[in-house]
Amino acid sequence: QVQLVESGGGSVQAGGSLRLSCSASGFTHSRYCMGWFRQAPGKEREGVVSVGRDGNTIYGDSVKGRFTISRDNDKGTMNLEMNNLQADDTAMYYCAARFASCSSLWYGYTGQGTQVTVSS
């Protein structure tokens, strides 16, 4: 059974930091592109970052230089370090895995999400 479980969300003031974690099981991680996407109320889903099977990492323009992803295929874990958070980063963050594609990760396996709220 495929499971992706996020943790680490919370509330922080603008300029602060948070670390999200994802624990994945039930599939062969190394064969999947994995990453994070987010969705704020009333807005479309937005890709945050993806890490391909070859390690190629792509960050969304809005988070470049502030967010850093790390992935451990052996452990099936993925972490997202988020620094200098801004109010626009407020959203539900989802861990996701998609076979053979790093685009629109929400079409693959996804977790239940963890809320990040940034107050200005």
Side-chain angles (χ1 to χ4, degrees), residues 32-35 49-53 55-58 69 71 78 102:
Y32 283 71
C33 180
M34 295 186 67
V49 60
S50 64
V51 184
R53 292 176 294 175
N56 184 40
T57 304
I58 299 175
I69 191 171
R71 172 178 175 176
M78 189 168 54
C102 281

Side-chain angles (χ1 to χ4, degrees), residues 39-44:
Q39 188 165 24
K43 295 187 178 181
E44 295 186 353

Side-chain angles (χ1 to χ4, degrees), residues 94-111:
Y94 298 88
C95 171
R98 189 177 183 191
F99 183 75
S101 176
C102 281
S103 64
S104 304
L105 288 178
W106 45 85
Y107 290 131
Y109 300 129
T110 66

Side-chain angles (χ1 to χ4, degrees), residues 35-101:
W36 297 83
F37 68 93
R38 65 188 182 186
Q39 188 165 24
K43 295 187 178 181
E44 295 186 353
R45 288 167 294 196
E46 176 189 11
V48 175
V49 60
S50 64
V51 184
R53 292 176 294 175
D54 59 357
N56 184 40
T57 304
I58 299 175
Y59 290 92
D61 289 341
S62 62
V63 307
K64 282 179 182 176
R66 300 187 298 123
F67 290 13
T68 303
I69 191 171
S70 60
R71 172 178 175 176
D72 188 326
N73 285 334
D74 290 338
K75 296 181 179 179
T77 57
M78 189 168 54
N79 296 314
L80 183 65
E81 300 283 348
M82 306 185 296
N83 297 315
N84 191 22
L85 285 160
Q86 303 299 316
D88 286 346
D89 294 317
T90 295
M92 187 72 79
Y93 283 70
Y94 298 88
C95 171
R98 189 177 183 191
F99 183 75
S101 176

